[in-house]
């Protein structure tokens, strides 16, 4: 009788010390979420058009963000 991958995974989990199971659970949970979300992807991109509808954005906000993200662009060499 051939062992299934699910059975093999469960056998490996049985070998993990009790005090390490909490971390192992987190890892398995993250992997499972990734695998499931990959399977659900349809290949279509979701549009963010209209997400800021009605919001007023001052140019100074863009300037401040640019300065904080790219401080080297605003420095002048002398």
């Amino acid at each position: 009788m051939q062992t299934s991958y699910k059975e093999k995974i469960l056998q490996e989990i049985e070998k993990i010390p009790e005090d390490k199971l909490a971390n192992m659970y987190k890892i398995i949970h993250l992997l499972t979420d990734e695998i499931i979300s990959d399977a659900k992807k349809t290949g279509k991109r979701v549009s963010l058009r209209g997400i800021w509808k009605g919001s007023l954005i001052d140019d100074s906000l863009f300037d401040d963000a640019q300065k904080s993200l790219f401080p080297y662009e605003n420095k002048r060499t002398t």
Side-chain angles (χ1 to χ4, degrees):
M1 182 174 168
Q2 188 175 9
T3 306
S4 71
Y5 282 112
K6 187 173 187 174
E7 290 170 325
K8 288 181 181 184
I9 291 169
L10 292 174
Q11 288 171 1
E12 291 298 321
I13 291 172
E14 288 294 325
K15 296 177 188 177
I16 299 170
E18 192 71 31
D19 63 326
K20 303 293 183 189
L21 285 177
N23 289 335
M24 192 64 204
Y25 170 78
K26 292 175 187 176
I27 293 168
I28 292 171
H29 182 71
L30 290 171
L31 287 172
T32 305
D33 281 351
E34 278 299 312
I35 292 168
I36 291 171
S37 68
D38 284 348
K40 289 182 180 179
K41 289 183 182 175
T42 62
K44 289 185 177 181
R45 290 188 147 195
V46 177
S47 174
L48 296 178
R49 186 183 314 178
I51 193 169
W52 302 111
K53 192 178 226 175
S55 297
L56 297 174
I57 306 295
D58 186 352
D59 285 341
S60 67
L61 293 174
F62 286 109
D63 293 339
D64 291 344
Q66 185 177 17
K67 287 175 188 175
S68 69
L69 292 172
F70 308 106
Y72 51 86
E73 287 188 4
N74 295 320
K75 291 184 179 178
R76 295 187 180 165
T77 56
T78 51

